């Protein structure tokens, strides 16, 4: 089954404790993204990656890091989480080939609470 | 800077009604536009993708249209059902930036 997986699904942590949210896709897609979703603000793109070792900032990159060492994986790293990073996070994978070029597929989400 | 707006923010309709959801964007330089549904506490499910060269796409009871020159897309839902209750989101893939911009969504409730 074609899918995007994220782990963990729920995470409660404390300010300053480094964490990583993993994202993996099995569709051989080149493009992957991270979003955060906040009430009233909608989904905002944090970082995206056009391919292995190619990453760039989205609209809200401050406080986050990413890496893309393998095509299927795109982890999101919070080096020193703060309460304003409490949010619902989504990973997405995007086809860059064929007639459905640019169609995004989303993971189930990770609900992060930073105390 | 590209901005995407969805109006209304919330909508309640009786079952069986045909309805239209709107998505407006400020810059016509887009690669494509995608409609999603999101159920409470869940991820996003892709409904329809319209490339910039296309005018509309259809899937079952759903029809999405795109008018790039006026910066508008509509999602038409025929014969609405209670199971259609969800938040509907549109997103544009912005030309030249490789970024996606989402609208804030329309929360739809279909009453039985």
């Amino acid at each position: 089954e074609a899918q995007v997986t994220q782990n963990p699904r729920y995470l409660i942590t404390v300010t300053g404790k480094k964490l990583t949210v993993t994202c993996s896709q099995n569709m051989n897609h080149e493009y992957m993204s991270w979003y955060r979703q906040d009430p009233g603000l909608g989904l905002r793109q944090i970082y995206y990656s056009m391919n292995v070792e190619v990453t760039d900032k989205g609209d809200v990159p401050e406080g986050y890091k990413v890496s893309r060492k393998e095509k299927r994986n795109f982890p999101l790293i919070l080096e020193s989480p703060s309460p304003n990073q409490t949010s619902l996070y989504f990973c997405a994978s995007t086809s860059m080939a064929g007639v459905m070029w640019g169609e995004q597929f989303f993971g189930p989400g990770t609900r992060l609470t930073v105390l | 800077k590209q901005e995407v707006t969805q109006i209304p923010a919330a909508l309640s309709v009786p079952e069986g009604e045909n309805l239209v959801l709107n998505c407006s964007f400020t810059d016509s330089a887009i690669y494509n536009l995608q409609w999603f549904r999101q159920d409470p506490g869940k991820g996003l499910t892709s409904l329809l993708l319209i490339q910039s060269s296309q005018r509309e796409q259809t899937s079952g009871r759903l029809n999405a249209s795109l008018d790039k020159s006026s910066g508008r897309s509509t999602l038409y839902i025929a014969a609405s059902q209670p199971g259609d209750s969800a938040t509907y989101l549109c997103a544009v893939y912005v030309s030249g930036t490789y970024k996606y911009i989402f609208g804030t969504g329309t929360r739809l409730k279909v009453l039985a």
Side-chain angles (χ1 to χ4, degrees), chain A residues 31 33 35 37 40-43 45 48 50 57-59 88 90 94 96 99-104 106-108, chain B residues 1 31-32 34 36 38 41-44 46 48-49 51 54 89 91 93 97-104:
Chain A
Y31 187 113
S33 307
Y35 294 88
Q37 185 175 34
L41 297 176
L43 276 105
Q45 197 170 29
Y48 64 94
M50 298 291 288
K57 297 176 181 178
D59 287 333
L88 180 58
F90 289 102
T94 306
M96 285 295 167
V99 296
M100 299 306 282
W101 179 92
E103 183 178 23
Q104 295 193 90
F106 277 76
Chain B
K1 182 184 175 185
Y31 289 124
N32 59 46
Q34 191 171 358
F36 298 87
Q38 184 178 25
K42 305 282 186 172
L44 280 72
S46 177
L48 290 164
L49 173 75
Q51 303 292 2
Q54 297 173 325
L89 298 158
Y93 188 25
T97 70
Y98 307 106
K99 295 180 182 178
Y100 287 89
I101 305 294
F102 273 81
T104 50

Side-chain angles (χ1 to χ4, degrees), chain A residues 40-56:
Chain A
L41 297 176
L43 276 105
R44 294 175 293 168
Q45 197 170 29
I46 302 171
Y47 269 95
Y48 64 94
S49 170
M50 298 291 288
N51 215 323
V52 175
E53 303 290 1
V54 181
T55 63
D56 208 345

